[in-house]
Each structure stands twice: as C-alpha cells, then as structure tokens.
Amino acid sequence: MSVRSMMIAVLILLTGACGWQLRGSVALSSLTDTLHLTSPDDYGALMVELRNRLSADDIRLTDSPTEARYTLRVNRELVDKRVAAVGSDALASAYELTLRAEFDVLDQRGMPIATRLVSSVTRSYNASSGSAGSSAQEEVLLTREMRTELAQQILRQLQAAINAAQAEGLVSDAPDAPDETPNGETTP
C-alpha cells in the first residue's frame, strides 16, 4: 500500500472517529428506536417530510405516546411571504419566504424535555412580472426545498434536546429502557 493510500485511509478513520458527519444527517437511531410524532395537521407537508426522514433513519413511529420513548409535538407551522424588492415599475421584483415551526419534545410520560423550540428557514427569489406562472412554480419549488431544510433543523434540535436531557439525567441513556424518577423509582 502506498503512503498516499495509507494517509487517505487514516484521514477517513480519524474523521469518522471524531463523530463528524455530513450536514443534514441526523443520527437519532443511536438515541431511540421509537418516536411519537404529533401535530394539529398530521397529514401536512412538514409532517410528511418528518415521517420520511425518520423512517429513513430506521425510527419506528408509534400511534401512542406511551409506546414511544419520546414525542415530537409540532405545535404550529407558519408560512410568511413578503415583498423584498420593488422594481422601477412599482411592482414587486423579489419576495422573501419564511417557513417557521414551533415544537416541543416530551418524554414517554408526557413530561416536557424541551418546550417552545423554534426552527425557521428564510429564502428570497426574484419575481418575473412578465410570467406569473414561472414565479409561482419557483415559489412552490423553493417552499419544498425550505420544508426539507426545516425538517432537518427540527430533527437536529430534537437530537440536541434528547442529548441534553440524557446529560442532565432527566432520561436514561439506553434506548427503550425504563426511566428513573428523581427518588430512584423505576417507571415502565
């Protein structure tokens, strides 16, 4: 094996060993294998995106919060569109879109681990005054991309909330193990 090949192999091993991972990848499966996902709009686009991402990470979604180790409760998703620039003809030449989600993380007993968490994504795009159809299509595509990024942000915050709760001793580290109450009793 050449020195160059050896160096590449060492760099790859060191990169993996330090916990580095690609942005957007969330390793929730190392923290739990079950999750309850709930929202006022369980079939909305954000919930579908979250379900797809969780399923891709081999997280089993449960129908009941008592069957899951954690609950991700998405309280609200807001979409805001505003004019970002006006052209010389006094018409909007650019828009700014903002997607925002407010959510909580609960343990198996329904006790809050992290509340009032917020994730948001903002993007702008140029509007074509001559072709309203192309601007509308661009907005739809941009919104879809933003929702994907919003779901990734939510899952990263979920991972951070679970890690913080485990570090503080609020929940146990072992996936699907019973939690211990502060007085030392074990709950199922």
Side-chain angles (χ1 to χ4, degrees):
M1 182 181 265
S2 72
V3 173
R4 182 176 181 195
S5 298
M6 184 71 110
M7 289 299 292
I8 290 172
V10 168
L11 286 174
I12 290 172
L13 288 172
L14 286 175
T15 304
C18 75
W20 182 84
Q21 56 186 342
L22 290 173
R23 180 181 167 97
S25 62
V26 178
L28 280 173
S29 58
S30 65
L31 300 173
T32 185
D33 60 352
T34 59
L35 184 76
H36 178 67
L37 186 61
T38 185
S39 168
D41 183 10
D42 282 334
Y43 300 101
L46 179 60
M47 296 300 283
V48 169
E49 184 68 34
L50 285 167
R51 275 191 205 92
N52 290 342
R53 298 219 164 264
L54 290 165
S55 295
D57 197 24
D58 294 327
I59 304 291
R60 185 175 60 87
L61 298 173
T62 65
D63 294 329
S64 167
T66 58
E67 296 173 4
R69 188 155 159 75
Y70 302 101
T71 295
L72 174 61
R73 182 175 60 200
V74 178
N75 300 319
R76 211 162 51 155
E77 179 188 8
L78 304 166
V79 179
D80 185 38
K81 178 181 175 181
R82 70 176 194 88
V83 175
V86 178
S88 61
D89 55 0
L91 297 174
S93 61
Y95 289 97
E96 182 180 84
L97 285 173
T98 301
L99 290 182
R100 176 183 158 134
E102 299 170 1
F103 56 98
D104 302 322
V105 181
L106 311 171
D107 69 8
Q108 191 172 23
R109 298 176 308 245
M111 300 300 294
I113 292 174
T115 58
R116 298 182 182 159
L117 298 173
V118 176
S119 286
S120 66
V121 178
T122 302
R123 297 282 183 274
S124 59
Y125 69 96
N126 294 326
S128 172
S129 59
S131 176
S134 66
S135 292
Q137 287 177 342
E138 184 176 359
E139 183 178 332
V140 167
L141 290 172
L142 189 59
T143 302
R144 190 176 302 142
E145 289 173 11
M146 290 169 64
R147 196 162 277 121
T148 298
E149 187 175 333
L150 185 64
Q152 290 172 347
Q153 280 186 20
I154 290 170
L155 294 179
R156 281 193 295 272
Q157 285 188 331
L158 171 64
Q159 182 179 21
I162 292 171
N163 282 334
Q166 288 176 350
E168 293 173 11
L170 298 175
V171 294
S172 67
D173 293 347
D176 293 332
D179 290 333
E180 239 181 62
T181 60
N183 63 4
E185 295 175 5
T186 301
T187 62

